[in-house]
Amino acid sequence: MPLTQILLSLSIALFAGLMLSRLAKLLNLPAVTAYLVAGILVGPYCLGLIGVQGLGFNNMEQVESFSILCDIALGFIAFSIGNEFRLSELKHTGKQATVIGILQAVVTTLLVDGVLIGLHFLIPDKLSLPAAIVLGAVASATAPAATLMVVRQYKAKGPVTSTLLPVVALDDAVGLVLFAVSFGIANAISVGQVSILSIVLEPILEVVLSLLLGTAMGFIFTFCERFFHSRSKRLSMSVAFVLLTVALSNLSFHVGAVHVAFSPLLSCMMLGTIFCNVCDFSEELMDRLDRWTGPLFILFFVLSGAELELSVFTDWAIVVIGVVYVLARCAGKYSGAFSSAKMMKCNDNIVKYLGITLFPQAGVALGMAMKAQNLADGGAIVAQITLFAVLIYEIVGPALTKISLQKAGEIKPEGKTSARKSDAEMLASSAPVQKEALAPENAEQVKNEVGVK
């Protein structure tokens, strides 16, 4: 794409996301939902159909050409989630979050597997057994990006939020292992060959190596930050290390018969975790980084919306299987979180509302689905069902997360609706004080306070 067309497409995407976020505010919806809808509107199925170069995205190839922005944004999102793993807070929620994170993912996989395997026997020509098994593992993944954005937009704070973010982070690690095991079993059914390496060793190796990479980068990052005292240079160093970690975690190679790969999400989460626990000025730096990444996150969600395949609605089989998958996954997430939170004797709000906040699904699931396309029997259907589900979850999920956090009492009514109005009110409220300070009867007191004789 020519530079002019690239800049025009990105500016329209950013503008559309921002303008729709104002409409979403009127409708009491999260801004994330607005960004995703904006992506659909400027994507290949709406504005892109006009065919004017630069006016939206004309095809999926154009959307995918901006994948580097999405990779970078996911790196910063994972880094921000890692910042929530402060040891001082994990002492209270760490054990509960670990148990809930593992059990809800396993329960979701087993439930979706059971339902879809049953559906396979009803329509075997549309849904193969290997595809049903793989979709169960894909169902375990939760979208950390949408969840984090809702939490930040509404400044949610409380037991549910404190448990939610570690659970979402752990969910992806568990999901990677479940997917690798399920994919190995499905492949064995398709090809008739079982690979212990792909089922057991490689997924565990990916998780461990990703955490080690993030840990090493975190300590190096913290060491390098101490050479700078300027806030702007420290911010630049933070950006450099997130980009470096994303780059290194995208490497993959073979050691003999073993395929070695990393997870960018886990690596960047660990980078953020080490940084926030080792660096004594991490909170201030994270606050500045959050402001810098605002436009990048908007573009990420708009591009994610533009990537959603509306064509999946044209096949009745995809719609039927997709609806069953969505309902089964929701039941799995809710029941898994409910039962595990109850078992850990968590706060009542965590028991009731945590499961609903785990509904959003996007990037990690799509990555699993793309890998599942290599499945000999049913790879294409896995990708299509995942795309269908992501379309539903990404539009509805953030709103459900917001409602759940509101019901739990962790989202307070917004006290500031307009920065300009707030400034005007501040000036108005300070005016009488200034007037009183300049009154003749207070002149002597003012002189004495400033040391004027």
Side-chain angles (χ1 to χ4, degrees):
M1 290 173 66
L3 179 60
T4 304
Q5 187 178 336
I6 291 172
L7 295 176
L8 187 58
S9 297
L10 289 177
S11 62
I12 289 174
L14 189 57
F15 179 76
L18 287 168
M19 295 309 293
L20 255 72
S21 70
R22 306 317 299 163
L23 178 60
K25 189 177 180 70
L26 295 175
L27 297 173
N28 207 25
L29 291 171
V32 178
T33 302
Y35 303 149
L36 291 163
V37 172
I40 293 173
L41 293 178
V42 301
Y45 294 99
C46 292
L47 198 58
L49 289 174
I50 298 174
V52 178
Q53 297 297 318
L55 188 63
F57 304 102
N58 302 122
N59 50 59
M60 281 298 174
E61 287 72 24
Q62 288 185 5
V63 181
E64 289 166 3
S65 67
F66 294 102
S67 61
I68 185 172
L69 288 178
C70 296
D71 291 340
I72 292 170
L74 276 174
F76 281 105
I77 287 167
F79 181 66
S80 298
I81 291 176
N83 190 52
E84 303 296 328
F85 283 80
R86 295 183 179 273
L87 291 178
S88 56
E89 297 174 10
L90 286 178
K91 288 177 183 177
H92 305 291
T93 61
K95 185 178 178 181
Q96 293 177 342
T98 301
V99 173
I100 295 170
I102 295 172
L103 288 184
Q104 59 82 25
V106 173
V107 168
T108 302
T109 297
L110 293 176
L111 182 60
V112 174
D113 271 342
V115 171
L116 292 185
I117 289 171
L119 191 62
H120 154 72
F121 289 110
L122 293 176
I123 45 173
D125 56 324
K126 296 293 183 181
L127 180 64
S128 67
L129 182 59
I133 292 171
V134 171
L135 280 168
V138 173
S140 66
T142 302
T147 304
L148 180 68
M149 289 296 284
V150 172
V151 168
R152 283 198 175 162
Q153 180 185 350
Y154 297 103
K155 298 178 176 62
K157 193 173 182 180
V160 179
T161 306
S162 299
T163 307
L164 169 62
L165 293 175
V167 166
V168 168
L170 184 62
D171 182 271
D172 290 325
V174 178
L176 286 171
V177 175
L178 289 173
F179 175 77
V181 172
S182 298
F183 186 74
I185 293 170
N187 221 25
I189 293 172
S190 299
V191 183
Q193 238 178 351
V194 179
S195 171
I196 300 299
L197 285 178
S198 61
I199 293 177
V200 180
L201 182 61
E202 289 181 2
I204 295 174
L205 200 60
E206 180 175 341
V207 171
V208 171
L209 289 178
S210 299
L211 295 177
L212 288 175
L213 173 63
T215 300
M217 295 301 293
F219 280 112
I220 298 170
F221 173 33
T222 305
F223 175 76
C224 293
E225 283 281 5
R226 298 187 182 279
F227 289 107
F228 300 93
H229 301 287
S230 162
R231 291 178 177 177
S232 60
K233 287 179 180 176
R234 281 177 170 174
L235 176 63
S236 300
M237 182 66 75
S238 305
V239 173
F241 265 86
V242 173
L243 294 179
L244 180 58
T245 305
V246 171
L248 293 176
S249 59
N250 272 286
L251 296 174
S252 64
F253 49 91
H254 283 84
V255 178
V258 180
H259 178 248
V260 179
F262 302 89
S263 164
L265 274 175
L266 290 180
S267 298
C268 289
M269 280 180 194
M270 201 62 187
L271 173 71
T273 300
I274 297 297
F275 178 63
C276 77
N277 284 289
V278 177
C279 183
D280 51 5
F281 50 81
S282 62
E283 274 194 76
E284 177 195 348
L285 200 55
M286 288 300 300
D287 184 56
R288 293 176 66 82
L289 190 65
D290 290 343
R291 298 176 190 175
W292 180 85
T293 52
L296 179 64
F297 288 171
I298 294 174
L299 280 174
F300 166 73
F301 284 107
V302 174
L303 288 169
S304 297
E307 281 184 324
L308 296 177
E309 286 271 6
L310 301 186
S311 59
V312 295
F313 288 109
T314 58
D315 187 339
W316 71 266
I318 298 296
V319 174
V320 171
I321 300 169
V323 169
V324 172
Y325 169 84
V326 167
L327 294 176
R329 181 179 176 273
C330 287
K333 285 290 178 184
Y334 187 80
S335 61
F338 182 93
S339 56
S340 54
K342 197 85 173 173
M343 184 180 73
M344 295 304 295
K345 299 179 180 177
C346 294
N347 179 291
D348 285 344
N349 283 336
I350 296 176
V351 174
K352 288 191 288 187
Y353 300 115
L354 181 65
I356 301 174
T357 63
L358 299 173
F359 287 174
Q361 188 178 44
V364 178
L366 288 173
M368 292 176 179
M370 294 307 107
K371 186 175 179 180
Q373 285 186 315
N374 298 323
L375 191 66
D377 184 11
I381 194 81
V382 172
Q384 290 172 318
I385 297 301
T386 306
L387 286 169
F388 175 91
V390 165
L391 178 61
I392 304 300
Y393 284 128
E394 284 295 87
I395 300 301
V396 179
L400 292 176
T401 299
K402 179 200 169 186
I403 292 169
S404 297
L405 293 175
Q406 274 182 327
K407 293 284 187 183
E410 299 187 13
I411 293 180
K412 307 299 180 187
E414 292 181 90
K416 180 179 177 182
T417 55
S418 169
R420 288 171 296 186
K421 182 178 178 182
S422 177
D423 290 340
E425 287 174 349
M426 286 175 63
L427 289 171
S429 63
S430 64
V433 177
Q434 293 173 354
K435 185 176 180 180
E436 182 183 350
L438 296 175
E441 59 268 26
N442 292 328
E444 191 64 34
Q445 181 183 348
V446 172
K447 285 180 182 179
N448 291 336
E449 287 177 358
V450 297
V452 178
K453 303 297 183 184

